[in-house]
Amino acid sequence: MPRNGSTTRTTIMDAAEALILETGFSATSVDRVIDRAGVTKGTFFYHFQSKAGLARALVERYAEHDLNNLESNLARAEKLSRDPLQQLLIFVGLFEEAAEALTEPYPGCLFASYCSEAGLFDQDTLQIIRDTMTTWRTRLGAKIEEAMAKHPPRLDVDADSLADMITVAFEGAFMLSKSLSDPNVVSQQLGHYRNYLELLFAEAPSAPA
Amino acid sequence: MPRNGSTTRTTIMDAAEALILETGFSATSVDRVIDRAGVTKGTFFYHFQSKAGLARALVERYAEHDLNNLESNLARAEKLSRDPLQQLLIFVGLFEEAAEALTEPYPGCLFASYCSEAGLFDQDTLQIIRDTMTTWRTRLGAKIEEAMAKHPPRLDVDADSLADMITVAFEGAFMLSKSLSDPNVVSQQLGHYRNYLELLFAEAPSAPA
């Protein structure tokens, strides 16, 4: 059970994150955050030195959660098959499965919010986003290289940009899902990414039925 | 040659759009816009009733430009081949070609900016974004249906979500390009989309070399 201090800090962060996903960072004033979180200004400033400090804490938490998802699904995929191509397809499939369970359109991505208002953040805060995206590229790119070595791709592709494609699918699909109020866009787009990987590395594709 | 009034209006809109792509809509005050555009507040309010009126005019202009790109590249592709699959591949290739010419990371997408701060806009303004994305889905989806009828796809796919994939590639790649300061992301991702369409509809794929 967390101590009360850590619960209050989390309450403030959750309120701020939800507000940022609704109206962006600039419009998320400290007053709106304390109002939504139901805390006093004194409590806010006990936990965070400034709005910039809150911004930094939020993106650190978001990145940590994101990288945990990456690593845990990679580990699961590596347990579920010995073959790197199958691991890759399972990895994408696990995210697709989670996205299929969504019943509401995706509320948005904190990274995308910060990126849309990039001029308001310091370079250290933006660097956390860059590092997270680069980690996805590196980790998934290495798995793609393994798959390529065993299953030569049918077209000449670059492992890094093929790895980037999952970040692109997430970010683009979150945006489209939110804009069209359609909860299915994310799983559909991950499904297309998985199809592409499958077709790209298929050794002896059969003719269509 | 435009009359002076239309030039000034364009100058204000260009300044506002650039500011929104840098720091978002909320942080783009009328004062910052007139400062960047080099006009007086009186001139601003002669052209726009309010900041909301400016927001609406900007998204209308952006959507018009976006749909012109869609229609003109569809028309070009339809002139360059008689086959709907080839038209589709040429269509994506034309956007890829334009993206390859970029030397700077993509400055961002106005639709993505508005979407990140969606709570600040009226429904009519957001509807323009929805309508534009739906038009891409409908126009490209119809071309995909034509291609499917002539070239049965190797996997069971849905034309609408396959059409959405170009919007997802643009939006996701703009965001990644901006975040990583890498101008190549957009053309690379469009290249992967084209590869996927090619593999999906390939009638007799050859073995890898």
Side-chain angles (χ1 to χ4, degrees), chain A residues 188-204:
Chain A
Q188 285 168 349
Q189 294 302 316
L190 290 172
H192 284 302
Y193 181 50
R194 197 154 59 101
N195 284 348
Y196 177 43
L197 291 170
E198 217 175 332
L199 290 166
L200 199 52
F201 293 107
E203 265 159 81

Side-chain angles (χ1 to χ4, degrees), chain A residues 158-180:
Chain A
D158 153 72
D160 279 356
S161 71
L162 192 53
D164 283 349
M165 211 178 164
I166 196 167
T167 303
V168 166
F170 277 126
E171 295 299 340
F174 290 164
M175 193 267 187
L176 196 61
S177 169
K178 189 176 173 183
S179 182
L180 299 180

Side-chain angles (χ1 to χ4, degrees), chain A residues 99-100 102 104-105 177 181-190, chain B residues 161:
Chain A
E100 269 166 10
L102 292 174
E104 300 272 314
S177 169
S181 301
D182 180 350
N184 301 312
V185 177
V186 184
S187 63
Q188 285 168 349
Q189 294 302 316
L190 290 172
Chain B
S161 71

Side-chain angles (χ1 to χ4, degrees), chain A residues 129-171:
Chain A
I129 300 176
R130 261 177 239 129
D131 288 346
T132 307
M133 291 181 165
T134 308
T135 304
W136 277 79
R137 177 190 280 180
T138 309
R139 296 288 285 136
L140 206 57
K143 185 58 69 190
I144 289 170
E145 299 269 17
E146 275 182 64
M148 278 178 169
K150 236 182 129 175
H151 310 270
R154 307 188 68 78
L155 297 171
D156 183 27
V157 288
D158 153 72
D160 279 356
S161 71
L162 192 53
D164 283 349
M165 211 178 164
I166 196 167
T167 303
V168 166
F170 277 126
E171 295 299 340

Side-chain angles (χ1 to χ4, degrees), chain A residues 64-77:
Chain A
E64 193 190 334
H65 180 74
D66 191 55
L67 292 176
N68 281 345
N69 267 340
L70 164 68
E71 294 303 338
S72 70
N73 279 344
L74 258 184
R76 283 173 72 194

